Coordinates of all heavy atoms in Angstrom, one line a residue:
M17 N -8.7 11.6 15.3 CA -8.4 10.4 15.9 C -8.2 9.3 14.9 O -9.2 9.0 14.0 CB -9.5 10.0 16.9 CG -9.3 8.8 17.6 SD -10.8 8.4 18.6 CE -10.0 7.7 20.0
L18 N -7.2 8.6 15.0 CA -6.9 7.5 14.1 C -7.6 6.3 14.5 O -7.7 5.9 15.6 CB -5.3 7.3 14.1 CG -4.9 6.3 13.0 CD1 -5.0 6.9 11.6 CD2 -3.5 5.9 13.3
T19 N -8.3 5.6 13.5 CA -8.9 4.3 13.7 C -8.7 3.4 12.5 O -8.1 3.7 11.5 CB -10.5 4.5 13.7 OG1 -11.0 5.1 12.5 CG2 -10.9 5.5 15.0
V20 N -8.9 2.0 12.9 CA -9.0 1.1 11.9 C -10.3 0.9 11.3 O -11.3 0.6 11.9 CB -8.4 -0.2 12.5 CG1 -8.4 -1.4 11.4 CG2 -7.0 -0.1 13.1
N21 N -10.4 1.1 10.0 CA -11.7 1.0 9.3 C -12.0 -0.3 8.7 O -13.2 -0.7 8.5 CB -11.8 2.1 8.2 CG -11.9 3.4 8.7 OD1 -12.1 3.6 9.9 ND2 -11.8 4.4 7.8
E22 N -10.9 -1.1 8.2 CA -11.0 -2.3 7.7 C -9.8 -3.2 8.1 O -8.8 -2.7 8.3 CB -11.1 -2.3 6.1 CG -12.1 -1.6 5.5 CD -12.0 -1.4 3.9 OE1 -11.4 -2.3 3.3 OE2 -12.3 -0.4 3.4
A23 N -10.1 -4.5 8.2 CA -9.0 -5.4 8.6 C -9.3 -6.9 7.9 O -10.3 -7.3 7.8 CB -9.0 -5.6 10.1
T24 N -8.1 -7.4 7.5 CA -8.3 -8.7 6.9 C -7.1 -9.6 7.5 O -5.8 -9.0 7.6 CB -7.9 -8.6 5.3 OG1 -8.9 -7.8 4.8 CG2 -8.0 -10.1 4.8
Y25 N -7.4 -10.7 8.0 CA -6.3 -11.6 8.5 C -5.7 -12.3 7.4 O -6.4 -13.0 6.6 CB -6.9 -12.6 9.5 CG -5.9 -13.4 10.3 CD1 -5.0 -12.8 11.0 CD2 -5.9 -14.8 10.0 CE1 -4.0 -13.5 11.7 CE2 -4.7 -15.4 10.6 CZ -3.9 -15.0 11.4 OH -2.9 -15.6 12.0
L26 N -4.3 -12.1 7.3 CA -3.6 -12.8 6.1 C -3.0 -14.1 6.5 O -2.5 -14.8 5.7 CB -2.5 -11.7 5.7 CG -2.9 -10.5 5.3 CD1 -1.8 -9.5 5.0 CD2 -3.9 -10.5 4.1
G27 N -3.1 -14.5 7.8 CA -2.3 -15.7 8.2 C -1.0 -15.4 8.9 O -0.5 -14.3 8.6
D28 N -0.5 -16.3 9.5 CA 1.0 -16.3 10.1 C 0.9 -15.1 11.0 O 2.0 -14.3 10.9 CB 1.9 -16.3 9.1 CG 3.3 -16.4 9.6 OD1 3.6 -17.1 10.6 OD2 4.3 -15.8 9.0
L29 N -0.1 -14.6 11.7 CA -0.1 -13.5 12.7 C 0.0 -12.1 11.9 O 0.4 -11.2 12.5 CB 0.8 -13.6 13.8 CG 0.9 -15.0 14.5 CD1 1.8 -14.9 15.7 CD2 -0.6 -15.3 15.1
R30 N -0.4 -12.1 10.6 CA -0.3 -11.0 9.8 C -1.7 -10.4 9.5 O -2.6 -11.2 9.2 CB 0.5 -11.0 8.5 CG 2.0 -11.4 8.9 CD 3.0 -11.4 7.8 NE 3.0 -10.1 7.1 CZ 3.6 -9.1 7.6 NH1 4.3 -9.1 8.7 NH2 3.6 -7.8 6.9
F31 N -1.8 -9.0 9.4 CA -3.1 -8.4 9.1 C -2.8 -7.4 8.0 O -1.8 -6.7 8.0 CB -3.6 -7.7 10.3 CG -4.2 -8.6 11.4 CD1 -3.3 -9.3 12.3 CD2 -5.5 -9.0 11.4 CE1 -3.8 -10.1 13.2 CE2 -5.9 -9.9 12.2 CZ -5.0 -10.4 13.3
E32 N -3.8 -7.2 7.1 CA -3.9 -5.9 6.3 C -4.9 -5.0 6.9 O -6.0 -5.5 7.1 CB -4.2 -6.3 4.9 CG -4.3 -5.1 4.0 CD -4.6 -5.4 2.5 OE1 -5.6 -6.2 2.3 OE2 -3.9 -5.0 1.7
L33 N -4.5 -3.8 7.2 CA -5.4 -2.8 7.8 C -5.6 -1.6 6.9 O -4.7 -1.2 6.2 CB -4.9 -2.4 9.2 CG -4.6 -3.5 10.2 CD1 -4.1 -2.9 11.5 CD2 -5.9 -4.4 10.4
V34 N -6.8 -1.0 6.9 CA -7.0 0.2 6.3 C -7.4 1.2 7.5 O -8.3 1.0 8.2 CB -8.2 0.2 5.2 CG1 -8.4 1.6 4.7 CG2 -7.8 -0.8 4.2
F35 N -6.6 2.2 7.5 CA -6.8 3.3 8.5 C -7.7 4.3 8.1 O -7.9 4.7 7.0 CB -5.5 3.8 9.0 CG -4.7 2.7 9.7 CD1 -3.8 2.0 8.9 CD2 -4.6 2.5 11.1 CE1 -3.0 1.0 9.5 CE2 -3.9 1.4 11.7 CZ -3.1 0.6 10.9
S36 N -8.3 5.2 9.2 CA -9.1 6.2 8.7 C -8.5 7.4 7.9 O -9.2 8.2 7.5 CB -9.7 6.8 10.2 OG -8.7 7.2 11.0
N37 N -7.2 7.4 7.9 CA -6.5 8.5 7.1 C -6.3 7.9 5.6 O -5.6 8.5 4.9 CB -5.2 8.9 7.7 CG -4.2 7.7 7.8 OD1 -4.4 6.5 7.4 ND2 -3.1 8.0 8.3
G38 N -6.8 6.8 5.4 CA -6.8 6.2 4.0 C -5.6 5.3 3.8 O -5.6 4.7 2.6
R39 N -4.7 5.3 4.7 CA -3.5 4.4 4.4 C -3.9 2.9 4.7 O -4.5 2.6 5.7 CB -2.3 4.8 5.3 CG -1.7 6.1 4.9 CD -0.4 6.4 5.3 NE 0.6 5.5 4.6 CZ 1.9 5.5 4.9 NH1 2.3 6.2 5.9 NH2 2.7 4.7 4.4
R40 N -3.3 2.1 3.8 CA -3.5 0.7 3.9 C -2.1 0.1 4.2 O -1.0 0.4 3.5 CB -4.0 0.1 2.6 CG -4.1 -1.4 2.5 CD -4.6 -1.8 1.1 NE -5.9 -1.2 0.8 CZ -7.1 -1.8 1.0 NH1 -7.2 -3.0 1.6 NH2 -8.2 -1.2 0.7
G41 N -1.9 -0.8 5.2 CA -0.7 -1.3 5.5 C -0.7 -2.8 5.9 O -1.9 -3.1 6.5
N42 N 0.3 -3.5 5.9 CA 0.3 -4.9 6.5 C 1.3 -4.8 7.7 O 2.3 -4.1 7.7 CB 1.0 -5.8 5.5 CG 0.1 -6.1 4.3 OD1 -1.2 -5.8 4.3 ND2 0.7 -6.4 3.2
L43 N 0.9 -5.6 8.7 CA 1.6 -5.8 9.9 C 1.6 -7.1 10.6 O 0.6 -7.9 10.2 CB 1.2 -4.7 10.9 CG -0.2 -4.9 11.4 CD1 -0.3 -5.5 12.8 CD2 -0.9 -3.4 11.5
S44 N 2.5 -7.4 11.3 CA 2.5 -8.7 12.1 C 2.3 -8.3 13.6 O 2.8 -7.3 14.1 CB 3.9 -9.3 12.1 OG 3.9 -10.4 12.9
V45 N 1.5 -9.1 14.3 CA 1.2 -8.9 15.7 C 2.3 -9.6 16.6 O 2.2 -9.6 17.7 CB -0.2 -9.3 16.2 CG1 -1.3 -8.3 15.5 CG2 -0.5 -10.7 15.8
R46 N 3.2 -10.2 16.0 CA 4.2 -11.0 16.7 C 5.0 -10.0 17.7 O 5.2 -10.5 18.9 CB 5.4 -11.5 15.7 CG 4.9 -12.7 15.2 CD 5.9 -13.4 14.3 NE 5.4 -14.4 13.4 CZ 5.0 -15.6 13.8 NH1 5.0 -16.0 15.0 NH2 4.5 -16.4 12.9
P47 N 5.2 -8.7 17.4 CA 5.8 -7.8 18.5 C 5.1 -7.7 19.8 O 5.6 -7.4 20.8 CB 5.9 -6.5 17.7 CG 6.1 -6.8 16.4 CD 5.1 -8.0 16.2
L48 N 3.8 -8.0 19.7 CA 2.9 -7.9 20.9 C 3.0 -9.2 21.8 O 2.6 -9.0 23.0 CB 1.5 -7.8 20.4 CG 1.0 -6.6 19.7 CD1 -0.3 -6.7 19.2 CD2 1.2 -5.5 20.7
L49 N 3.6 -10.2 21.3 CA 3.6 -11.5 22.2 C 4.2 -11.3 23.5 O 3.7 -12.0 24.5 CB 4.1 -12.7 21.2 CG 3.4 -13.0 20.0 CD1 4.0 -14.2 19.3 CD2 1.9 -13.4 20.3
G50 N 5.3 -10.7 23.5 CA 6.0 -10.6 24.8 C 5.7 -9.3 25.5 O 6.3 -9.1 26.6
Y51 N 4.7 -8.5 25.1 CA 4.4 -7.2 25.6 C 3.4 -7.4 26.9 O 2.6 -8.3 26.9 CB 3.7 -6.4 24.6 CG 3.4 -5.0 25.0 CD1 4.4 -4.0 25.1 CD2 2.1 -4.6 25.1 CE1 4.0 -2.7 25.5 CE2 1.8 -3.3 25.5 CZ 2.7 -2.4 25.8 OH 2.5 -1.0 26.1
A52 N 3.6 -6.5 27.8 CA 2.7 -6.3 28.9 C 2.5 -7.7 29.6 O 1.5 -8.2 29.9 CB 1.3 -5.9 28.5
Q53 N 3.8 -8.1 30.0 CA 3.9 -9.4 30.8 C 3.1 -10.6 30.3 O 2.4 -11.3 31.0 CB 3.5 -9.2 32.4 CG 4.4 -8.1 32.9 CD 3.9 -7.7 34.2 OE1 2.9 -7.9 34.7 NE2 4.9 -7.2 35.1
G54 N 3.1 -10.7 28.9 CA 2.4 -11.8 28.3 C 1.0 -11.6 28.1 O 0.3 -12.6 27.7
L55 N 0.4 -10.4 28.2 CA -1.0 -10.2 28.1 C -1.5 -10.5 26.7 O -2.6 -11.1 26.6 CB -1.3 -8.7 28.3 CG -2.7 -8.2 28.0 CD1 -3.6 -8.8 29.1 CD2 -2.7 -6.7 28.1
F56 N -0.6 -10.6 25.6 CA -1.0 -10.8 24.2 C -0.4 -12.2 23.9 O -0.6 -12.4 22.7 CB -0.5 -9.7 23.3 CG -1.1 -8.3 23.5 CD1 -0.5 -7.4 24.3 CD2 -2.3 -8.2 23.0 CE1 -1.2 -6.1 24.6 CE2 -3.0 -6.9 23.2 CZ -2.4 -5.9 24.0
S57 N 0.0 -13.1 24.7 CA 0.5 -14.3 24.3 C -0.6 -15.1 23.7 O -0.1 -16.0 22.8 CB 1.1 -15.1 25.6 OG 0.0 -15.3 26.5
G58 N -1.8 -15.0 23.9 CA -2.7 -15.9 23.2 C -2.8 -15.6 21.8 O -3.2 -16.5 21.0
L59 N -2.2 -14.5 21.2 CA -2.1 -14.2 19.8 C -1.2 -15.2 19.1 O -1.3 -15.4 17.9 CB -1.7 -12.8 19.5 CG -2.7 -11.6 19.9 CD1 -2.1 -10.3 19.8 CD2 -4.0 -11.8 19.1
A60 N -0.3 -15.8 19.9 CA 0.6 -16.8 19.3 C -0.2 -18.0 18.6 O 0.2 -18.7 17.8 CB 1.6 -17.3 20.2
D61 N -1.4 -18.2 19.1 CA -2.3 -19.2 18.6 C -3.1 -18.8 17.2 O -3.7 -17.7 17.5 CB -3.3 -19.6 19.6 CG -4.3 -20.7 19.2 OD1 -4.2 -21.2 18.1 OD2 -5.2 -21.0 19.9
E62 N -2.7 -19.3 16.2 CA -3.2 -18.7 15.0 C -4.8 -18.7 14.9 O -5.4 -17.9 14.4 CB -2.8 -19.8 13.8 CG -3.2 -19.3 12.4 CD -2.2 -18.6 11.8 OE1 -1.0 -18.5 12.2 OE2 -2.4 -17.8 10.7
A63 N -5.4 -19.8 15.6 CA -6.9 -19.9 15.7 C -7.4 -18.7 16.5 O -8.4 -18.1 16.1 CB -7.3 -21.2 16.3
F64 N -6.7 -18.4 17.6 CA -7.1 -17.2 18.4 C -6.9 -15.9 17.5 O -7.8 -15.1 17.6 CB -6.4 -17.1 19.7 CG -6.8 -16.1 20.6 CD1 -8.0 -16.1 21.3 CD2 -6.1 -14.8 20.8 CE1 -8.3 -15.2 22.2 CE2 -6.5 -13.9 21.5 CZ -7.7 -13.9 22.3
A65 N -5.8 -15.7 17.0 CA -5.5 -14.4 16.3 C -6.5 -14.2 15.2 O -6.8 -13.1 14.9 CB -4.1 -14.5 15.7
S66 N -6.9 -15.2 14.5 CA -7.9 -15.0 13.4 C -9.3 -14.8 13.8 O -10.2 -14.6 13.1 CB -7.9 -16.3 12.6 OG -8.5 -17.4 13.3
Q67 N -9.6 -14.9 15.2 CA -11.0 -14.5 15.8 C -11.1 -13.0 16.1 O -12.0 -12.6 16.8 CB -11.1 -15.3 17.1 CG -11.3 -16.8 16.9 CD -11.5 -17.5 18.3 OE1 -12.2 -16.9 19.2 NE2 -10.8 -18.4 18.5
F68 N -10.3 -12.2 15.5 CA -10.4 -10.7 15.7 C -11.8 -10.2 15.3 O -12.5 -10.8 14.4 CB -9.3 -10.0 14.9 CG -9.5 -9.9 13.5 CD1 -10.0 -8.6 13.0 CD2 -9.2 -10.8 12.6 CE1 -10.4 -8.6 11.6 CE2 -9.6 -10.7 11.2 CZ -10.0 -9.5 10.7
K69 N -12.0 -9.1 15.7 CA -13.1 -8.3 15.1 C -12.7 -6.7 15.3 O -11.8 -6.4 15.9 CB -14.5 -8.5 15.9 CG -14.4 -8.2 17.3 CD -15.7 -8.4 18.1 CE -15.5 -7.9 19.5 NZ -16.8 -8.2 20.3
L70 N -13.4 -5.9 14.5 CA -13.2 -4.5 14.7 C -14.2 -4.0 15.7 O -15.3 -4.2 15.7 CB -13.5 -3.8 13.4 CG -12.4 -3.9 12.3 CD1 -12.8 -3.1 11.1 CD2 -11.1 -3.4 12.8
A71 N -13.6 -3.3 16.7 CA -14.3 -2.7 17.8 C -13.7 -1.5 18.3 O -12.5 -1.4 18.5 CB -14.4 -3.8 19.0
H72 N -14.6 -0.4 18.5 CA -13.9 0.8 19.0 C -12.8 1.4 18.2 O -11.8 1.9 18.7 CB -13.6 0.7 20.4 CG -14.7 0.1 21.3 ND1 -15.8 0.8 21.6 CD2 -14.6 -1.1 21.9 CE1 -16.5 -0.1 22.3 NE2 -15.9 -1.1 22.6
G73 N -12.9 1.1 16.8 CA -11.8 1.6 15.9 C -10.5 0.9 15.9 O -9.6 1.5 15.5
S74 N -10.5 -0.3 16.4 CA -9.2 -1.1 16.5 C -9.6 -2.6 16.4 O -10.7 -2.9 16.4 CB -8.5 -0.7 17.7 OG -7.1 -1.3 17.5
L75 N -8.5 -3.3 16.4 CA -8.6 -4.8 16.4 C -8.9 -5.3 17.9 O -8.3 -4.7 18.7 CB -7.3 -5.5 15.9 CG -6.9 -5.4 14.6 CD1 -5.6 -6.1 14.3 CD2 -8.0 -5.8 13.5
S76 N -9.8 -6.2 18.0 CA -10.2 -6.7 19.3 C -10.2 -8.3 19.2 O -10.6 -8.8 18.1 CB -11.5 -6.2 19.7 OG -11.9 -6.7 21.0
W77 N -9.9 -9.0 20.3 CA -10.0 -10.4 20.3 C -10.9 -10.7 21.6 O -11.0 -10.0 22.4 CB -8.6 -11.0 20.4 CG -7.8 -10.8 19.2 CD1 -7.9 -11.7 18.1 CD2 -7.0 -9.8 18.8 NE1 -6.9 -11.2 17.2 CE2 -6.4 -10.0 17.6 CE3 -6.6 -8.6 19.5 CZ2 -5.6 -9.2 17.0 CZ3 -5.7 -7.7 18.9 CH2 -5.1 -8.1 17.5
P78 N -11.2 -12.0 21.6 CA -12.1 -12.5 22.9 C -11.3 -12.2 24.2 O -10.0 -12.2 24.2 CB -12.2 -14.1 22.5 CG -12.2 -14.2 21.2 CD -11.1 -13.1 20.6
G79 N -12.0 -11.9 25.1 CA -11.5 -11.6 26.5 C -11.2 -10.2 26.6 O -10.4 -9.7 27.5
E80 N -11.9 -9.2 25.7 CA -11.6 -7.8 25.7 C -10.2 -7.5 25.5 O -9.7 -6.5 26.0 CB -12.2 -7.2 27.0 CG -13.7 -7.4 27.2 CD -14.2 -6.8 28.5 OE1 -13.7 -5.8 28.8 OE2 -15.2 -7.4 29.1
L81 N -9.5 -8.1 24.7 CA -8.1 -7.9 24.3 C -8.1 -7.0 23.1 O -8.7 -7.4 22.1 CB -7.4 -9.2 24.1 CG -5.8 -9.2 23.9 CD1 -5.2 -8.7 25.0 CD2 -5.4 -10.5 23.3
D82 N -7.5 -5.8 23.2 CA -7.4 -4.9 22.0 C -6.1 -4.1 22.0 O -5.3 -4.2 23.0 CB -8.6 -3.9 21.9 CG -8.7 -3.2 23.1 OD1 -7.8 -3.0 23.9 OD2 -9.7 -2.5 23.2
V83 N -5.8 -3.6 21.0 CA -4.6 -2.8 20.8 C -4.9 -1.4 20.2 O -5.8 -1.3 19.5 CB -3.7 -3.5 19.6 CG1 -2.4 -2.8 19.5 CG2 -3.4 -4.9 20.0
A84 N -4.2 -0.4 20.8 CA -4.5 1.1 20.3 C -4.2 1.1 18.9 O -3.2 0.6 18.4 CB -3.4 1.9 21.1
P85 N -5.1 1.8 18.1 CA -4.9 1.9 16.6 C -3.6 2.6 16.3 O -3.0 2.2 15.3 CB -6.1 2.6 16.1 CG -6.8 3.2 17.4 CD -6.3 2.4 18.5
E86 N -3.2 3.6 17.1 CA -1.9 4.2 16.9 C -0.7 3.1 16.9 O 0.2 3.3 16.0 CB -1.7 5.3 17.9 CG -2.7 6.4 17.8 CD -3.9 6.1 18.5 OE1 -4.1 5.1 19.3 OE2 -4.9 7.0 18.5
Y87 N -0.8 2.2 17.8 CA 0.3 1.3 17.8 C 0.3 0.3 16.6 O 1.3 0.0 16.1 CB 0.3 0.5 19.0 CG 1.6 -0.3 19.2 CD1 2.8 0.3 19.5 CD2 1.5 -1.8 19.1 CE1 4.0 -0.4 19.7 CE2 2.7 -2.4 19.2 CZ 3.9 -1.8 19.4 OH 5.1 -2.5 19.6
L88 N -1.0 0.0 16.1 CA -0.9 -0.8 14.9 C -0.5 -0.1 13.7 O 0.1 -0.6 12.9 CB -2.5 -1.2 14.7 CG -3.1 -2.0 15.8 CD1 -4.6 -2.4 15.5 CD2 -2.4 -3.6 15.8
Y89 N -0.8 1.2 13.7 CA -0.4 2.1 12.6 C 1.2 2.1 12.7 O 1.9 2.0 11.7 CB -0.9 3.6 12.9 CG -0.7 4.4 11.6 CD1 -1.5 4.5 10.5 CD2 0.5 5.4 11.6 CE1 -1.3 5.3 9.5 CE2 0.6 6.2 10.6 CZ -0.3 6.2 9.6 OH 0.0 7.1 8.5
F90 N 1.7 2.2 13.9 CA 3.3 2.2 14.0 C 3.8 0.9 13.6 O 4.7 0.9 12.7 CB 3.6 2.4 15.4 CG 5.1 2.1 15.7 CD1 6.0 2.9 15.4 CD2 5.4 0.9 16.5 CE1 7.4 2.7 15.6 CE2 6.8 0.6 16.8 CZ 7.7 1.5 16.4
L91 N 3.2 -0.3 13.9 CA 3.6 -1.6 13.4 C 3.6 -1.7 11.8 O 4.4 -2.2 11.3 CB 2.8 -2.7 14.0 CG 3.1 -3.0 15.6 CD1 2.1 -4.1 15.9 CD2 4.5 -3.2 15.9
A92 N 2.5 -1.0 11.3 CA 2.4 -1.1 9.8 C 3.4 -0.2 9.1 O 3.8 -0.5 8.0 CB 1.0 -0.8 9.4
F93 N 3.8 0.9 9.7 CA 4.5 1.9 9.0 C 5.8 2.3 9.7 O 6.3 3.4 9.4 CB 3.7 3.1 8.6 CG 2.5 2.8 7.9 CD1 1.2 2.8 8.5 CD2 2.5 2.4 6.6 CE1 0.0 2.6 7.7 CE2 1.4 2.1 5.9 CZ 0.1 2.2 6.5
A94 N 6.3 1.5 10.5 CA 7.5 1.8 11.3 C 8.7 2.1 10.4 O 9.6 2.9 11.0 CB 8.0 0.6 12.3
D95 N 8.8 1.7 9.3 CA 10.0 1.9 8.5 C 9.7 3.1 7.4 O 10.6 3.5 6.7 CB 10.3 0.7 7.6 CG 10.8 -0.4 8.4 OD1 11.4 -0.1 9.5 OD2 10.5 -1.6 8.0
D96 N 8.6 3.7 7.5 CA 8.3 4.9 6.7 C 8.9 6.2 7.3 O 8.5 6.6 8.2 CB 6.8 5.1 6.6 CG 6.3 6.2 5.6 OD1 7.3 7.0 5.2 OD2 5.2 6.2 5.3
P97 N 10.0 6.7 6.5 CA 10.7 7.9 7.1 C 9.7 9.0 7.1 O 10.0 9.9 8.1 CB 11.7 8.3 5.9 CG 11.9 6.9 5.2 CD 10.6 6.2 5.3
A98 N 8.7 9.2 6.5 CA 7.8 10.2 6.5 C 6.9 10.3 7.8 O 6.3 11.3 8.3 CB 6.9 10.3 5.4
E99 N 6.9 9.0 8.6 CA 6.1 9.0 9.8 C 6.9 9.1 11.1 O 6.5 8.9 12.1 CB 5.4 7.6 9.8 CG 4.3 7.5 8.6 CD 3.1 8.4 8.9 OE1 3.0 9.0 10.0 OE2 2.2 8.4 7.9
Q100 N 8.2 9.1 10.9 CA 9.1 9.0 12.1 C 8.9 10.1 13.1 O 8.8 9.8 14.3 CB 10.6 9.0 11.7 CG 10.9 7.8 10.8 CD 10.5 6.5 11.3 OE1 10.9 6.1 12.5 NE2 9.6 5.8 10.7
Q101 N 8.7 11.3 12.7 CA 8.3 12.4 13.6 C 7.0 12.0 14.5 O 6.9 12.3 15.7 CB 8.2 13.7 13.0 CG 8.1 14.9 14.0 CD 8.1 16.3 13.2 OE1 8.3 16.3 12.1 NE2 8.2 17.2 14.1
R102 N 6.0 11.6 13.7 CA 4.7 11.2 14.3 C 4.9 10.2 15.4 O 4.4 10.2 16.5 CB 3.7 10.8 13.3 CG 2.3 10.3 13.9 CD 1.5 9.7 13.0 NE 1.4 10.4 11.6 CZ 0.4 11.0 11.1 NH1 -0.7 11.1 11.8 NH2 0.4 11.4 9.9
F103 N 5.7 9.1 15.0 CA 5.9 8.0 16.0 C 6.7 8.5 17.3 O 6.5 8.0 18.3 CB 6.6 6.9 15.4 CG 5.7 6.2 14.2 CD1 6.5 5.7 13.1 CD2 4.5 6.2 14.3 CE1 5.8 5.1 12.0 CE2 3.7 5.6 13.2 CZ 4.3 5.1 12.1
Q104 N 7.6 9.3 16.9 CA 8.3 9.9 18.2 C 7.4 10.7 19.1 O 7.6 10.5 20.3 CB 9.6 10.8 17.6 CG 10.5 11.2 18.8 CD 11.7 11.8 18.3 OE1 11.9 12.1 17.1 NE2 12.6 12.1 19.2
S105 N 6.6 11.5 18.5 CA 5.6 12.3 19.3 C 4.7 11.4 20.0 O 4.3 11.7 21.1 CB 4.9 13.3 18.5 OG 3.9 12.7 17.6
W106 N 4.4 10.2 19.6 CA 3.5 9.2 20.2 C 4.3 8.6 21.3 O 3.7 7.7 22.0 CB 2.9 8.3 19.2 CG 1.8 8.8 18.3 CD1 1.2 10.0 18.4 CD2 1.2 8.2 17.2 NE1 0.3 10.2 17.4 CE2 0.3 9.1 16.6 CE3 1.5 7.0 16.5 CZ2 -0.3 8.8 15.5 CZ3 0.7 6.8 15.3 CH2 -0.2 7.6 14.9
G107 N 5.6 8.6 21.4 CA 6.4 8.0 22.2 C 6.8 6.6 21.8 O 7.3 5.7 22.6
Y108 N 6.7 6.1 20.6 CA 7.1 4.9 20.0 C 8.5 4.9 19.5 O 9.0 3.8 19.3 CB 6.2 4.4 18.9 CG 4.7 4.2 19.3 CD1 3.7 4.5 18.5 CD2 4.5 3.6 20.5 CE1 2.4 4.4 19.0 CE2 3.1 3.4 21.0 CZ 2.1 3.8 20.3 OH 0.9 3.6 20.7
L109 N 9.1 6.0 19.4 CA 10.5 6.1 19.0 C 11.2 7.0 19.9 O 10.7 8.1 20.3 CB 10.7 6.7 17.6 CG 10.2 5.7 16.5 CD1 10.4 6.3 15.2 CD2 10.9 4.4 16.4
T110 N 12.3 6.7 20.3 CA 13.2 7.7 21.0 C 14.2 8.4 20.0 O 14.2 7.9 18.8 CB 14.1 7.1 22.1 OG1 15.0 6.2 21.4 CG2 13.3 6.3 23.0
T111 N 14.8 9.4 20.2 CA 15.7 10.1 19.3 C 16.8 9.1 18.7 O 17.1 9.1 17.6 CB 16.4 11.3 20.0 OG1 15.4 12.1 20.4 CG2 17.3 12.0 18.9
E112 N 17.2 8.1 19.7 CA 18.3 7.2 19.3 C 17.7 6.2 18.3 O 18.4 5.7 17.5 CB 18.9 6.4 20.5 CG 19.6 7.3 21.5 CD 18.6 8.2 22.4 OE1 17.5 7.6 22.7 OE2 19.0 9.3 22.7
M113 N 16.4 5.8 18.3 CA 15.9 4.9 17.4 C 15.4 5.4 16.1 O 15.2 4.7 15.3 CB 14.7 4.3 18.2 CG 15.0 3.4 19.4 SD 13.6 2.8 20.4 CE 12.8 1.8 19.1
R114 N 15.3 6.7 16.0 CA 14.7 7.3 14.9 C 15.4 7.0 13.6 O 16.6 6.9 13.6 CB 14.6 8.8 15.1 CG 14.0 9.5 14.0 CD 13.7 11.0 14.3 NE 12.9 11.6 13.3 CZ 12.8 12.8 13.1 NH1 13.5 13.7 13.9 NH2 12.1 13.3 12.2
L115 N 14.6 6.6 12.5 CA 15.2 6.2 11.3 C 15.5 7.5 10.6 O 14.8 8.5 10.7 CB 14.1 5.4 10.5 CG 13.6 4.1 11.3 CD1 12.6 3.4 10.4 CD2 14.8 3.2 11.4
S116 N 16.6 7.4 9.9 CA 17.1 8.6 9.0 C 16.5 8.5 7.6 O 16.1 7.5 7.2 CB 18.5 8.7 9.1 OG 19.1 7.5 8.7

């Protein structure tokens, strides 16, 4: 099971994360802002975004808002050709979107 072991807020809605598989990556949470009918819209507020904590192996914010660690991994490594098959198996890529 993939988890987030360390997290640092870098500002501008960006995080540096260390995952349980040892990979370290940077990601923006901006793609979450319009997701799930605005559920994550609070993350647009820099002060709110910086109030994260690690809980249950992932990032969490006030109001029990959290993101699957696998999706955070996808955001961090979406351009890594070596990860495309994994992302497709997780349902984050379709065959048409797969990077070559």
Side-chain angles (χ1 to χ4, degrees):
M17 175 183 226
L18 187 66
T19 61
V20 177
N21 290 349
E22 297 176 34
T24 303
Y25 186 65
L26 303 173
D28 193 30
L29 306 183
R30 297 194 55 79
F31 291 83
E32 178 179 52
L33 303 181
V34 178
F35 294 90
S36 56
N37 65 358
R39 289 201 69 185
R40 179 182 300 267
N42 292 339
L43 62 96
S44 171
V45 293
R46 287 187 192 283
L48 296 171
L49 297 180
Y51 182 72
Q53 300 175 341
L55 177 67
F56 294 95
S57 62
L59 292 175
D61 177 7
E62 187 91 18
F64 182 79
S66 67
Q67 292 180 39
F68 79 95
K69 64 180 181 176
L70 285 179
H72 310 290
S74 195
L75 295 182
S76 177
W77 291 271
E80 299 184 30
L81 185 65
D82 60 14
V83 181
E86 294 84 5
Y87 191 69
L88 295 172
Y89 190 84
F90 169 71
L91 292 176
F93 303 109
D95 294 331
D96 182 345
E99 296 289 354
Q100 299 311 297
Q101 186 173 7
R102 178 190 318 247
F103 296 149
Q104 189 172 5
S105 73
W106 289 348
Y108 296 138
L109 293 178
T110 63
T111 304
E112 296 79 31
M113 296 172 56
R114 190 169 183 199
L115 302 175
S116 52

